[in-house]
Amino acid sequence: MRRLPLALAAGALAAGTLLAPAAQAATPATGAVSVQQASQARWFTIWDGGGNTRGIDTGAIKSQAKVLQIVTQCWNGGDGTAATATLWKWGRSAIGPGGGWMKMKRDRGYCLGGKMYTRIHNARAGEKWRATVTLSPKSHTVRVWVQNYG
């Protein structure tokens, strides 16, 4: 069998075409690590919308995890427009049958182009929630995401 020059063998090893037995044994373990990282908790979007408007209402959406947040991003053009983001939870009414929307969290901030976060940590999977974002005093471009962490 003919021996390869040392420089050529080192280049093949670096390119991955010629693997040493130790490197071949380590390759499946690398795949297992990436699967484990993929199953770790992360933020995922359950509602997404936006446009040039004065207000956005998601309607009823179901939470899929314990942590729920609204991410709001808006631009005001220098006129001092502010955004108010509110998380509402559907619950039983204390007066009579049925239920109603209860205000659980409200945050307000000026539309300067950055992201604003309104977050709660006591949502349960399967509960009905609703997110609203209102702009005042004028309509402007707004982008809204409702996300769960899990």
Side-chain angles (χ1 to χ4, degrees):
M1 181 170 172
R2 193 171 138 194
R3 299 191 102 184
L4 293 173
L6 186 58
L8 185 60
L13 262 172
T17 56
L18 180 66
L19 291 176
Q24 289 174 353
T27 304
T30 306
V33 170
S34 64
V35 170
Q36 180 184 7
Q37 290 172 346
S39 67
Q40 290 178 349
R42 61 181 173 80
W43 287 105
F44 58 95
T45 302
I46 58 176
W47 192 92
D48 183 6
N52 189 0
T53 184
R54 197 162 179 176
I56 290 182
D57 187 344
T58 64
I61 52 178
K62 285 195 177 185
S63 177
Q64 300 171 12
K66 187 176 179 180
V67 182
L68 183 70
Q69 78 176 3
I70 305 173
V71 182
T72 307
Q73 185 176 21
C74 57
W75 299 264
N76 69 8
D79 64 5
T81 298
T84 303
T86 310
L87 276 168
W88 304 81
K89 178 182 171 185
W90 181 260
R92 291 187 189 172
S93 175
I95 306 169
W101 291 106
M102 300 177 290
K103 188 185 326 174
M104 301 303 285
K105 178 85 182 242
R106 175 180 281 180
D107 286 327
R108 185 171 193 263
Y110 288 102
C111 296
L112 301 175
K115 293 180 180 174
M116 295 180 279
Y117 298 89
T118 304
R119 183 178 300 163
I120 59 159
H121 298 276
N122 60 348
R124 290 189 191 135
E127 285 183 330
K128 280 201 299 190
W129 289 82
R130 181 175 143 205
T132 59
V133 175
T134 56
L135 300 178
S136 178
K138 296 182 178 181
S139 64
H140 281 286
T141 303
V142 64
R143 183 96 170 130
V144 177
W145 301 267
V146 178
Q147 297 178 325
N148 269 140
Y149 185 80

